[in-house]
């Protein structure tokens, strides 16, 4: 494993610290008027989700970890587990719903390709596509002359999620929704 300078840690960098895997969430580099420069890094444990603030001097070295990324296809839900299949080897893995996260589980669709980050063949993280296509199953009526508020109206998507859509859209239409924010992006092609 390569050692890197603590000052070169950026958000998203994965390191080994205190015998566990950590991802840098926030970093700031401080050069006080008196004393040596240091890096203040907020870390998140990739195994159990704990957070930690760590301070390293500019001459300190840390072990950077390179994670393997594989493409898996989402197959189905089995109780509290989600089953994914490796697109190359056809090997299946099960990931717990609470590990994947409720905010990501709601976007999973049959056959959807996701990136799974692995460390020594153990799943560490999952990344969904940037957006998904959802069908509007229910949309509120447009209130005419409603100029004081925004021009969006509430709707319910096929996955049960509530989103705001433009007033000209109706139930049955397909929209592109961001998996990061859960917001309407545009009408689907």
């Amino acid at each position: 494993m390569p050692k890197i300078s603590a000052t070169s840690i950026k958000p998203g960098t994965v390191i080994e610290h205190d015998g566990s895997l950590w991802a840098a969430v926030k970093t700031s580099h401080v050069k006080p008027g008196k004393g040596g420069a240091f890096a203040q890094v907020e870390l998140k444990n990739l195994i159990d989700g704990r957070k930690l603030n760590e301070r390293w001097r500019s001459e300190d070295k840390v072990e950077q970890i390179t994670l393997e990324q594989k493409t898996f296809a989402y197959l189905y839900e089995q109780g509290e587990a989600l089953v994914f299949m490796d697109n190359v080897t056809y090997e299946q893995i099960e990931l717990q719903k609470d590990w994947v996260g409720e905010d990501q589980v709601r976007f999973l669709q049959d056959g959807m390709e996701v990136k799974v980050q692995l460390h020594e063949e153990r799943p560490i993280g999952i990344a969904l596509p940037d957006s998904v296509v959802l069908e509007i199953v229910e949309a509120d009526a447009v209130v005419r002359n409603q100029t004081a508020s925004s021009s969006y109206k509430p709707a319910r998507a096929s996955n049960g999620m509530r989103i705001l859509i433009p007033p000209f859209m109706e139930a049955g239409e397909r929209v592109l929704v961001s998996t990061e924010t859960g917001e309407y992006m545009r009408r689907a092609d």
Side-chain angles (χ1 to χ4, degrees), residues 59-76:
E59 61 271 7
D60 289 341
K61 301 280 186 200
V62 293
E63 297 237 7
Q64 182 177 18
I65 302 295
T66 306
L67 298 178
E68 180 183 0
Q69 274 203 349
K70 284 188 175 179
T71 303
F72 283 78
Y74 171 67
L75 297 179
Y76 56 89

Side-chain angles (χ1 to χ4, degrees), residues 4 50 75 77 85 99 102 115 128 136 139 177 184-185:
I4 60 169
R50 286 181 294 142
L75 297 179
E77 185 177 322
M85 180 183 69
W99 184 84
E102 192 60 41
K115 299 278 188 207
L128 298 180
I136 301 300
V177 176
Y184 164 85
M185 293 171 67

Side-chain angles (χ1 to χ4, degrees), residues 3 15 26 29 55 68 72 91 96 112 115 120 126 128 156 165 167 179:
K3 288 204 177 250
I15 63 169
K26 290 182 191 168
H29 302 285
R55 181 180 287 188
E68 180 183 0
F72 283 78
E91 188 177 315
Q96 295 302 311
M112 175 186 277
K115 299 278 188 207
E120 297 174 353
I126 185 169
L128 298 180
R156 192 168 53 83
I165 60 172
T179 56

Side-chain angles (χ1 to χ4, degrees), residues 33-48:
K34 196 173 191 181
F38 62 89
Q40 181 74 35
V41 183
E42 182 180 322
L43 300 167
K44 181 178 180 188
N45 190 304
L46 293 176
I47 309 299
D48 58 23

Side-chain angles (χ1 to χ4, degrees), residues 112-158:
M112 175 186 277
E113 287 192 349
V114 299
K115 299 278 188 207
V116 177
Q117 295 175 322
L118 303 161
H119 176 65
E120 297 174 353
E121 298 299 318
R122 180 178 172 196
I124 297 295
I126 185 169
L128 298 180
D130 293 337
S131 61
V132 293
V133 176
L134 298 175
E135 185 176 337
I136 301 300
V137 293
E138 182 183 300
D140 289 358
V142 179
V143 178
R144 296 279 175 213
N145 300 325
Q146 186 180 10
T147 57
S149 65
S150 69
S151 61
Y152 285 87
K153 65 181 182 179
R156 192 168 53 83
S158 53

